Amino acid sequence: MRPVPIMSDSIAELKKIIERSRRIVFFGGAGVSTASGIPDFRSEDGICSLDTGGASPEEILSAVYFTLHTAEFFDFYRRYMVHPEAEPNVIHRYLYRLEKEDRLRGIVTQNIDGLHRMAGNKRVYELHGSIHENYCVDCEKSYPLEKIMESGGVPRCDKCGGIVRPWVVLYGEMPDKYTGIGACREISGADCLIVAGTSLQVEPAASYIDYFTGRDLVVINKEPTPADERANLVIRGDAAEVFAQLT
């Protein structure tokens, strides 16, 4: 499918698709949250471009590094992965409106920032977890984000002294099976799938869109994605700029 620029005709077509759809699923990535001040991973100024002076950001955010260099992991995590000041942007607010109208059946997100839930959405499948959910690796006691941010060094459980880690999927770990099953179920039952702010390069999440068999597949992203050829509408641009024209 040939991409179309962010012009009135492409926005009008997107509006028409949304208006005729009754079972919309939104599949989003890091590009959804950049308008909230959260950096993405693979852009020129993204997290992966950081010069840490040692291990790469991808290595630091791995399960192996977490196990072997736990204090260094948390130092990086607090500094670059958590943005407590971030607030929902125009995309999050628009999706909340669609859910209130009972036309948005689910949000499948690769982001860990929790902004969709902060905006009010309930039907959210957080494939890579959330910074707001943390637990003791020994006794599984749950903790809020404040436990991670207010602890010095490695956060420890108040009950058993075990390490408290964020419920986020690190490199080398598999996403939660039941979250993935729910996401695939919603995608397979959708009549419209909107993919936005993601290059669809991270597996297995990227392959979830293969479950879509509905009428309208829309892709909104700055760069090409593997789904472009299947889509009946491709808008090459910033997701927040597109959604701002829908309100």
Side-chain angles (χ1 to χ4, degrees):
M1 177 70 188
R2 181 177 61 84
V4 293
I6 306 178
M7 298 175 62
S8 58
D9 57 345
S10 59
I11 297 299
E13 177 63 19
L14 179 56
K15 286 182 178 180
K16 186 166 90 171
I17 290 173
I18 292 174
E19 288 170 0
R20 73 187 181 203
S21 300
R22 291 298 176 267
R23 298 187 307 278
I24 301 170
V25 171
F26 180 86
F27 186 103
V32 172
S33 296
T34 52
S36 296
I38 299 176
D40 62 16
F41 271 78
R42 292 176 175 81
S43 70
E44 184 177 338
D45 299 319
I47 290 173
C48 288
S49 68
L50 293 171
D51 182 5
T52 64
S56 70
E58 288 177 311
E59 290 174 316
I60 295 173
L61 295 172
S62 71
V64 171
Y65 195 92
F66 173 83
T67 302
L68 298 179
H69 308 282
T70 311
E72 292 84 352
F73 167 87
F74 276 106
D75 180 62
F76 183 91
Y77 180 81
R78 293 187 185 98
R79 186 173 181 182
Y80 296 110
M81 301 302 295
V82 180
H83 302 271
E85 74 289 346
E87 296 183 353
N89 61 50
V90 63
I91 304 173
H92 304 99
R93 293 192 295 270
Y94 184 85
L95 294 175
Y96 174 58
R97 192 179 86 188
L98 283 182
E99 186 175 292
K100 285 200 301 181
E101 296 171 358
D102 200 30
R103 292 195 294 131
L104 181 73
R105 304 314 299 266
I107 295 173
V108 181
T109 178
Q110 297 170 284
N111 298 335
I112 62 173
D113 50 50
L115 292 181
H116 287 295
R117 294 189 185 278
M118 192 182 300
N121 284 97
K122 305 299 183 184
R123 304 167 183 168
V124 183
Y125 298 87
E126 295 169 314
L127 298 180
H128 296 155
S130 171
I131 62 171
H132 298 285
E133 297 184 36
N134 306 273
Y135 66 94
C136 172
V137 299
D138 291 333
C139 72
E140 299 185 349
K141 181 179 178 180
S142 298
Y143 288 92
L145 176 61
E146 287 73 21
K147 176 66 176 180
I148 303 293
M149 300 305 291
E150 294 173 3
S151 299
V154 178
R156 293 286 178 175
C157 177
D158 300 333
K159 180 180 178 181
C160 73
I163 297 172
V164 176
R165 67 158 284 178
W167 185 68
V168 298
V169 179
L170 303 177
Y171 287 102
E173 295 179 330
M174 290 296 294
D176 176 70
K177 177 176 70 173
Y178 297 105
T179 302
I181 290 173
C184 292
R185 182 185 64 242
E186 297 295 352
I187 292 172
S188 66
D191 59 5
C192 173
L193 177 62
I194 301 174
V195 179
T198 173
S199 59
L200 295 176
Q201 299 296 321
V202 177
E203 295 289 0
S207 63
Y208 289 179
I209 68 168
D210 293 338
Y211 286 87
F212 178 68
T213 59
R215 181 185 56 234
D216 295 306
L217 174 59
V218 178
V219 177
I220 306 167
N221 198 53
K222 292 181 179 179
E223 303 297 333
T225 82
D228 291 0
E229 291 186 0
R230 291 177 49 198
N232 52 318
L233 177 62
V234 177
I235 302 178
R236 189 79 72 236
D238 181 80
E241 293 178 7
V242 172
F243 275 80
Q245 297 180 65
L246 296 177
T247 57

